[in-house]
Amino acid sequence: MKTIDELLAEGVAGKRVFVRADLNVPLDGTTITDDGRIRAVLPTVKALAGAGARVVVASHLGRPKGAPDPAFSLAPAAARLGELLGADVAFATDTVGDSATSTVAGLADGRVAVVENLRFNAGETSKDDAERAAFADRLATLADVYVGDGFGAVHRKHASVYDLPGRLPHYAGYLIATEVGVLKKLTEDVARPYVVALGGSKVSDKLAVIDQLLGKADRILIGGGMAFTFLKAQGHEVGASLLQEDQIPAVTEYLERAEKQGVELVVPVDVVVSPGFPDLKTKASNEHSAVDADRMPEGQLGLDIGPKTGELYAGKLADAATVFWNGPMGVFEHPDYAEGTKAVAQALVDSDGFTVVGGGDSAAAVRTLGFDENAFGHISTGGGASLEYLEGKTLPGLAALED
């Protein structure tokens, strides 16, 4: 895989460089609530622009249905990119149409443009190879060189991620090079003890990675909504909590395998419960209490790991040489149910080991809860991509960058 440093050494002045970024930022209307992914691509964009390239940045945002939708416009992201660069960023109101063509044609050396949401075009995400290829052909007319730097999308077989690199000289940007380097530290010659903390809502989203980690991790800590399927598999009642009954046989098998393989698979010993789901907009407090995990009241919702579990997990993380964390421990968006996620985040901050926050909601939680991002070894920009890499899958976007 060639890197951007090799491209810069070859010279990019006057060349049109297509940067496939991940500007899929959360929006409240047109206001960006977390610009982490935009900041993550800055080193690549700055280096290219500084070397005189004409930089064409492209990304998806949200899940529009293959047609323009103002709610998913990249205009706010383009404006924020310009603020962070301290320079005007041109914005094309389409992706491969007249606006994109004229905007790119008008770029001077060292200037940057953002084209509109890739997913406004059905060909970007099409399962039909020919349709996807046709869209990639049109994208290729905008550039002389391709730089892949949208790590959050490399697990998708999409036109701009998988097909386009084959049509242009292609290189990995700084973000992708960093992310791959981190993931190799989690899979090759790992420093031990290796502790993995997994949360999030659905256990089905994490089964494949648990399957892989049972042969690699020393401890696996379970939290979030997925914990209740584990508790149910252990014979506990879980009230009205999120439960995937169809996954209980798989979870039971993993609990048995962990015991046989000497892997500590740890589930909550207490949980925070409430009669109803909280209002995430007003953040108004609602009735809640901590109860032992084997004594959950009927009709109550489990919304966070409890304080005893927070202490237990912090202890399990204290001596770790390597930590991977993916998925919050509870409904961290509400202050009543954020303490479990805070406890795990703080344990990573206090750790002397190499700590990786695995993107997605975990990265959002770190920022929302006010932690210093520099206190962690690495905060990934791609939760789904990180998980699939750890599962041992071939990621289309990375495969496409290989020579």
Side-chain angles (χ1 to χ4, degrees):
M1 186 184 294
K2 290 184 179 179
T3 68
I4 186 174
D5 283 333
E6 294 172 82
L7 172 60
L8 292 169
E10 294 166 9
V12 293
K15 291 183 179 179
R16 300 170 302 160
V17 181
F18 187 103
V19 176
R20 201 327 180 165
D22 180 8
L23 309 181
N24 185 28
V25 291
L27 293 171
D28 182 2
T30 59
T31 301
I32 296 170
T33 57
D34 181 355
D35 66 358
R37 284 178 168 167
I38 301 175
R39 287 185 285 110
V41 79
L42 282 178
T44 290
V45 174
K46 283 182 176 179
L48 291 168
R54 303 175 183 188
V55 185
V56 182
V57 179
S59 176
H60 69 287
L61 191 151
R63 296 185 178 181
K65 302 183 184 301
D69 182 338
F72 298 106
S73 175
L74 276 175
R80 181 58 179 152
L81 178 62
E83 291 172 358
L84 293 168
L85 289 172
D88 290 337
V89 168
F91 180 66
T93 55
D94 57 29
T95 313
V96 289
D98 292 342
S99 180
T101 301
S102 61
T103 299
V104 173
L107 277 179
D109 292 1
R111 307 304 288 181
V112 179
V114 174
V115 297
E116 185 56 284
N117 195 333
L118 289 158
R119 292 186 184 176
F120 285 0
N121 306 268
E124 168 68 1
T125 59
S126 178
K127 296 289 193 295
D128 182 89
D129 290 347
E131 185 179 12
R132 217 175 49 246
F135 182 55
D137 287 339
R138 296 185 70 189
L139 289 172
T141 66
L142 298 175
D144 306 303
V145 181
Y146 178 94
V147 171
D149 215 30
F151 181 73
V154 294
H155 58 313
R156 305 296 187 192
K157 193 176 182 180
H158 291 169
S160 66
V161 175
Y162 177 75
D163 301 271
L164 182 57
R167 288 157 169 76
L168 296 168
H170 46 271
Y171 303 80
Y174 289 127
L175 175 61
I176 278 187
T178 298
E179 295 272 14
V180 171
V182 166
L183 288 168
K184 285 184 177 179
K185 290 181 73 171
L186 297 177
T187 54
E188 301 173 10
D189 195 23
V190 184
R192 297 185 179 280
Y194 178 20
V195 184
V196 176
L198 295 175
S201 57
K202 294 183 179 179
V203 69
S204 55
D205 293 340
K206 303 292 193 324
L207 284 179
V209 76
I210 293 172
D211 182 61
Q212 286 292 316
L213 290 169
L214 279 173
K216 298 182 175 73
D218 297 297
R219 301 174 199 136
I220 301 175
L221 316 179
I222 302 295
M226 62 184 283
F228 299 104
T229 303
F230 279 84
L231 290 169
K232 185 71 172 179
Q234 290 181 326
H236 305 310
E237 293 303 318
V238 296
S241 305
L242 182 64
L243 175 65
Q244 289 186 283
E245 295 220 34
D246 60 324
Q247 302 299 329
I248 289 176
V251 167
T252 301
E253 179 197 340
Y254 288 161
L255 287 166
E256 293 171 352
R257 274 178 55 194
E259 188 172 359
K260 289 178 183 176
Q261 293 176 254
V263 177
E264 286 187 71
L265 206 166
V266 191
V267 300
V269 295
D270 65 339
V271 294
V272 179
V273 299
S274 173
F277 201 81
D279 188 325
L280 298 183
K281 286 192 174 181
T282 67
K283 306 287 197 278
S285 184
N286 66 337
E287 181 185 337
H288 62 282
S289 60
V291 300
D292 289 344
D294 60 355
R295 296 179 180 276
M296 285 190 63
E298 185 177 346
Q300 296 273 303
L301 284 166
L303 297 173
D304 192 15
I305 60 171
K308 288 188 285 188
T309 304
E311 289 183 19
L312 172 66
Y313 286 7
K316 297 291 184 182
L317 290 161
D319 67 343
T322 305
V323 180
F324 175 72
W325 170 34
N326 181 279
M329 297 291 107
V331 185
F332 73 91
E333 300 91 341
H334 193 285
D336 290 345
Y337 310 103
E339 292 304 314
T341 302
K342 282 183 184 176
V344 169
Q346 188 62 54
L348 267 66
V349 169
D350 294 340
S351 172
D352 292 327
F354 177 60
T355 57
V356 179
V357 180
D361 287 340
S362 310
V366 163
R367 298 185 182 107
T368 299
L369 299 175
F371 286 91
D372 180 358
E373 294 179 43
N374 295 319
F376 302 89
H378 178 70
I379 298 179
S380 178
T381 57
S386 296
L387 287 177
E388 290 198 14
Y389 189 102
L390 294 180
E391 289 168 21
K393 291 183 178 179
T394 297
L395 306 188
L398 297 184
L401 293 175
E402 298 288 352
D403 294 318

